Amino acid sequence: MVSSLSKRAPTKNLMLFSGRAHPVLAQEVADLLQIDLVPTTAYDFANGEIYVRFEESVRGCDAFIMQSHAQPINDAIMEQLLMIDALKRASAKRITVILPFYGYARQDKKHLGREPISARLMADLFLASGADRLMTVDLHTAQIQGFFDGPVDHLLAMPILTRYVKKKYGKKPLAVVSPDAGRIKVAESWASALGEAPLAFIHKTRNETKPNETKANRVVGEVEGRVCVLVDDLIDTGGTIVQAAEALMADGAEDVVIVATHAVFSGPAVDRLKNSTACEVIVTNTLPLSDDQRFDKLTVLSIAPLLAQATAAVFQDGSVTSLFKN
C-alpha cells in the first residue's frame, strides 16, 4: 500500500474563496476560471466578532482568498485574516491572498512624528496569519510590495483603462494629467500608452493635519484645446480630483475625463463627481458600488479578466509579468 501511494503523481487543486465584501467580483472571476467558489459560512456574533468556516476539505489545495477592502474596511480585513488562518490550520498547501483594493495603502510612510506606517502593518498581519503570496491591483505606491516578506503580484489596471479611453477619445487631441507631482510616473506610462500624449500635472498643497483636504493651485503643462485624461489610483471623497478638473477647464481644456482604478467614493464623492465639470468618470470594479453610488457619467470596467488571468498564471507557475508585455 505504501509503495503504491508513493508512485501516485501529486495533483494540484485550485480553490477560490470569497469574503463577504465583494462576492459579485469573486463570482465573476470564478466563472472566468470555470470553477465554483468554495461554499463558506460567515456571520457576525452579537458583539461584532466574525466567524468563518469552509464547507469543503481544503487539505493540500492551492488556495486563493479574494476580499476587497470595502467599507466597513476593518471588518473586511479582519474577515480575510480569519479566512487565512482557517486555511492554514486546515492544511492548505499554498495560500494566495487576492486584494483587488489593499486597505491602508495610503499610509505608507510617516508624514508627522508618532504616526504608524499602516501599510507595512497590513503586510505583517497577512504574513503572520499564514499568507504565502499577495496579489493586488494598482497599489498607491509601488514600494508597498517590499513590505510583505514573500511574492507580491502587483497587477496593473492601466491596459484595461487605456484600451477604453483610446477607443472612445483616441481621435481627439489628448493630454494626460496627474492630479499631483507624486503620480507623474504613472501619468508618463499613460502618456506613452495613449500615443505619446503631452503630459501635465496639478500643483497642489495638502494640509497634513486634515485628512482628505487639498488645494489645487495651478496647472503645469499645456492643456488648452485638449481632452484631458486625469488619472489617479483612487477616488475617495472626490475633492482633489474635482478641483483638478475645474483647474483644467479654467486653463482652457476642451473636456476632462477622470480615470481611477479604485472607486472608494466616501461621503460627498458621488455628488461632487456628478456635478463636476468632467464629462465622464471611468473606474474599475475593484470595490463594490451600490445603486446610490452610480450616476449617469460613471463608467465601470471589470477587473475580473485580469484577476482570473493572474490567478491561472500563479496556479500554473507561469509568468504574471507577461500579462503586461503588450
Side-chain angles (χ1 to χ4, degrees), residues 4 10 30 57 61 67 87 101 111 120 122-123 148 151-152 192 221 234 254 257 264 285 307 324:
S4 64
S57 172
C61 79
Q67 177 87 306
L87 284 168
F101 176 69
H111 295 280
R120 171 57 193 266
M122 285 283 298
F148 182 75
V152 177
S192 176
L234 63 85
E254 179 185 328
V257 179
V264 180
N285 63 340
L307 293 173
F324 306 102

Side-chain angles (χ1 to χ4, degrees), residues 82-319:
L82 292 171
M83 293 173 75
I84 297 166
D85 185 71
L87 284 168
K88 180 183 176 183
R89 295 178 187 280
S91 302
K93 185 176 182 181
R94 180 172 63 171
I95 302 172
T96 300
V97 177
I98 304 177
L99 308 154
F101 176 69
Y102 185 113
Y104 289 91
R106 282 175 288 181
Q107 300 179 44
D108 62 329
K109 58 182 175 292
K110 291 176 67 172
H111 295 280
L112 300 171
R114 300 175 298 282
E115 284 184 342
I117 302 180
S118 307
R120 171 57 193 266
L121 176 61
M122 285 283 298
D124 289 344
L125 288 170
F126 286 121
L127 187 66
S129 63
D132 298 302
R133 186 184 197 106
L134 300 186
M135 182 187 297
T136 189
V137 181
D138 283 356
L139 286 167
H140 187 62
T141 50
Q143 68 261 27
I144 294 174
Q145 296 172 79
F147 291 174
F148 182 75
D149 191 13
V152 177
D153 299 304
H154 186 203
L155 309 182
L156 306 176
M158 192 180 75
I160 295 170
L161 296 166
T162 53
R163 194 179 306 126
Y164 175 87
V165 170
K166 283 179 76 171
K167 185 176 181 181
K168 188 164 184 179
Y169 300 99
K171 294 182 180 179
K172 297 182 178 181
L174 300 176
V176 176
V177 184
S178 171
D180 57 51
R183 302 288 298 172
I184 199 72
K185 291 199 74 173
V186 175
E188 286 175 351
S189 299
W190 265 83
S192 176
L194 294 177
E196 303 302 331
L199 202 59
F201 72 91
I202 307 294
H203 180 269
K204 72 176 185 181
T205 53
R206 180 184 296 277
N207 188 339
E208 299 296 352
T209 64
K210 295 182 179 180
N212 302 111
E213 188 170 310
T214 61
K215 181 180 179 182
N217 292 327
R218 67 180 186 277
V219 178
V220 180
E222 183 56 50
V223 299
E224 187 173 355
R226 294 181 175 272
V227 174
C228 292
V229 183
L230 184 57
V231 296
D232 209 347
D233 63 318
L234 63 85
I235 302 173
D236 191 353
T237 61
T240 298
I241 208 84
V242 166
Q243 281 187 30
E246 290 171 352
L248 290 168
M249 293 300 289
D251 238 41
E254 179 185 328
D255 241 327
V256 176
V257 179
I258 294 173
V259 185
T261 303
H262 308 296
V264 180
F265 288 3
S266 304
V270 170
D271 285 337
R272 285 174 172 172
L273 293 167
K274 190 189 304 182
N275 299 315
S276 72
T277 56
C279 65
E280 187 174 11
V281 179
I282 306 165
V283 298
T284 74
N285 63 340
T286 56
L287 288 163
L289 290 174
S290 65
D291 291 340
D292 292 342
Q293 291 176 308
R294 297 177 183 270
F295 48 96
D296 289 343
K297 64 172 76 172
L298 179 69
T299 299
V300 182
L301 304 178
S302 179
I303 203 76
L306 176 61
L307 293 173
Q309 287 177 315
T311 298
V314 170
F315 175 66
Q316 296 163 1
D317 297 321
S319 171

